[in-house]
Amino acid sequence: MTAIRVSGVTKRFGRHAALDDVSLDIESGKLLTLLGENGAGKSTLLRAVAGLSQPTRGTIEVMGATEPRERCVHIGYMAHASLLYDEMTGAENLEYFCGLYGVSTDNAQRAIQSVGLDPALTTRVSGYSQGMRQRLSLARAILHSPKVLLLDEPFSNTDAASSKQMAQMLAAQRDAGATVLVVTHQPALLEAYADEFVTLSAGKVVERRPGRQEVRL
């Protein structure tokens, strides 16, 4: 089944085409890494799939849904910014977002456990390391058990150990059935886990290469 289908998508900002007739299908249960230089259109594409930015032309489907409000129920989105509240504890942050998602606060405990943070964590987020912030951001994104995970630079400003742990957690989400789309400038971190690498340049798809599963065959 195709989890994400991008068909002929163009996104213009004035005369500039951030995305230029992009078409991309991503199968359900795959981990795809989106690569490219700054300004290539990676984050623009991720935001368009998330429904946070509307394409100038073309269509986007997520789990068969085309309208942004229908797509968002299937999506967990981890932005480049953490979107966390520093004055609240990790548990309080997740409980708050549980309310926004309309899910049980039991989901917060499961999410914290799934990313390796202490279930009874009571420290304010302002005291977190960057690695802990990234893990908590992932926990927030998976609270409602989304079928599709979209992540923008999840390894940003993290040390080697935290980056490796994040890569393993993303692979675990894929192995549990989620479709994972990751924007990163650090493809080496996902060489052992990604199913496919797609490169954008000047708003166009210029390369697709297989990842770990295809290499093993």
Side-chain angles (χ1 to χ4, degrees), residues 98-168:
C98 280
L100 294 183
Y101 283 127
V103 298
S104 169
T105 54
D106 291 342
N107 290 33
Q109 295 299 316
R110 289 195 293 269
I112 289 174
Q113 290 173 338
S114 72
V115 301
L117 291 175
D118 180 41
L121 203 61
T122 57
T123 304
R124 290 186 179 182
V125 172
S126 58
Y128 282 21
S129 67
Q130 181 63 15
M132 290 177 67
R133 282 176 177 271
Q134 294 296 76
R135 284 205 236 175
L136 189 61
S137 293
L138 178 59
R140 176 191 53 75
I142 63 175
L143 277 174
H144 56 305
S145 303
K147 296 178 181 178
V148 172
L149 271 176
L150 307 175
L151 304 102
D152 196 352
E153 298 291 353
F155 311 114
S156 179
N157 298 318
T158 58
D159 60 29
S162 295
S163 295
K164 183 177 180 180
Q165 291 169 346
M166 176 61 71
Q168 292 170 339

Side-chain angles (χ1 to χ4, degrees), residues 3 22 24 38 56 59 66 99 141-142 152 156 182 194 201 204 209-210 215:
V22 172
L24 181 67
N38 289 336
T56 307
T59 60
T66 56
I142 63 175
D152 196 352
S156 179
V182 185
S201 180
K204 292 180 176 289
R209 67 177 176 88
V215 169

Side-chain angles (χ1 to χ4, degrees), residues 1-178:
M1 177 181 178
T2 300
I4 301 172
R5 172 162 288 160
V6 179
S7 303
V9 166
T10 294
K11 177 63 177 181
R12 289 189 172 276
F13 296 97
R15 295 184 177 181
H16 173 66
L19 298 172
D20 188 1
D21 195 27
V22 172
S23 293
L24 181 67
D25 285 359
I26 304 174
E27 292 182 29
S28 181
K30 299 292 185 182
L31 194 165
L32 186 143
T33 303
L34 197 59
L35 309 175
E37 299 296 328
N38 289 336
K42 305 182 302 298
S43 294
T44 301
L45 179 57
L46 202 72
R47 288 177 57 81
V49 173
L52 299 174
S53 175
Q54 293 304 301
T56 307
R57 185 172 63 249
T59 60
I60 297 174
E61 295 181 23
V62 176
M63 304 306 296
T66 56
E67 293 298 320
R69 286 182 179 273
E70 296 173 353
R71 299 201 313 254
C72 69
V73 300
H74 301 296
I75 292 172
Y77 181 66
M78 182 174 165
H80 189 50
S82 71
L83 305 181
L84 300 171
Y85 293 94
D86 282 355
E87 69 276 13
M88 297 166 65
T89 68
E92 288 170 343
N93 265 274
L94 294 186
E95 288 169 3
Y96 171 73
F97 283 105
C98 280
L100 294 183
Y101 283 127
V103 298
S104 169
T105 54
D106 291 342
N107 290 33
Q109 295 299 316
R110 289 195 293 269
I112 289 174
Q113 290 173 338
S114 72
V115 301
L117 291 175
D118 180 41
L121 203 61
T122 57
T123 304
R124 290 186 179 182
V125 172
S126 58
Y128 282 21
S129 67
Q130 181 63 15
M132 290 177 67
R133 282 176 177 271
Q134 294 296 76
R135 284 205 236 175
L136 189 61
S137 293
L138 178 59
R140 176 191 53 75
I142 63 175
L143 277 174
H144 56 305
S145 303
K147 296 178 181 178
V148 172
L149 271 176
L150 307 175
L151 304 102
D152 196 352
E153 298 291 353
F155 311 114
S156 179
N157 298 318
T158 58
D159 60 29
S162 295
S163 295
K164 183 177 180 180
Q165 291 169 346
M166 176 61 71
Q168 292 170 339
M169 286 185 284
L170 298 184
Q173 290 296 314
R174 182 268 317 278
D175 294 343

